[in-house]
């Protein structure tokens, strides 16, 4: 896979995860507003936001990389996006 194709794919995945992050955070905030026990809701929001930031930083790093040195970023970006996705899935299951 070339850089451009990979970058577009990761950009799409990032946008999808950002939408899921916003959805789950809204669910947590609505539950808190109803007075439901959240069991670490704020911690989970902070964790998800930190992972979102890390994934975005890796995506930005990929975009800034040249054609000849982008592949070393790929594993870190893959890991960061998977980590974000897993955290969002856990939050959806928990809340």
């Amino acid at each position: 896979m070339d850089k451009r194709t990979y970058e577009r794919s990761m950009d799409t995945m990032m946008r999808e995860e950002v939408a899921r992050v916003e959805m789950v955070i809204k669910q947590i905030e609505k539950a808190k507003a109803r007075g439901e026990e959240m069991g670490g809701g704020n911690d989970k929001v902070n964790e998800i936001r930190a992972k979102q930031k890390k994934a975005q930083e890796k995506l930005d790093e990929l975009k800034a990389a040249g054609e000849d040195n982008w592949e070393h970023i790929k594993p870190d970006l893959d890991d960061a996006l998977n980590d974000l996705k897993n955290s969002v899935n856990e939050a959806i299951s928990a809340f």
Side-chain angles (χ1 to χ4, degrees):
M1 177 182 305
D2 68 343
K3 179 185 183 252
R4 181 182 273 279
T5 303
Y6 178 74
E7 184 178 317
R8 280 189 295 217
S9 174
M10 293 297 103
D11 200 41
T12 298
M13 287 178 64
M14 186 66 184
R15 282 194 308 270
E16 290 170 357
E17 286 309 308
V18 167
R20 293 179 70 226
V21 165
E22 295 307 317
M23 178 198 68
V24 78
I25 288 173
K26 284 180 185 177
Q27 288 176 337
I28 291 169
E29 289 172 352
K30 284 179 184 179
K32 284 176 21 183
R34 290 190 304 264
E36 295 178 18
E37 180 61 37
M38 294 310 301
N42 288 335
D43 292 340
K44 194 64 172 173
V45 168
N46 292 337
E47 174 189 328
I48 289 171
R49 288 285 188 206
K51 290 179 180 185
Q52 179 183 358
K53 181 180 178 190
K54 180 179 178 183
Q56 185 62 56
E57 288 170 353
K58 290 298 175 185
L59 181 58
D60 292 343
E61 192 177 325
L62 173 74
K63 289 177 179 182
E67 286 291 328
D68 55 342
N69 67 343
W70 67 274
E71 288 194 15
H72 77 279
I73 300 165
K74 189 177 179 210
D76 291 338
L77 177 54
D78 288 341
D79 289 346
L81 273 171
N82 285 330
D83 198 23
L84 174 60
K85 183 180 249 180
N86 290 337
S87 289
V88 172
N89 288 339
E90 288 172 13
I92 289 170
S93 296
F95 302 107

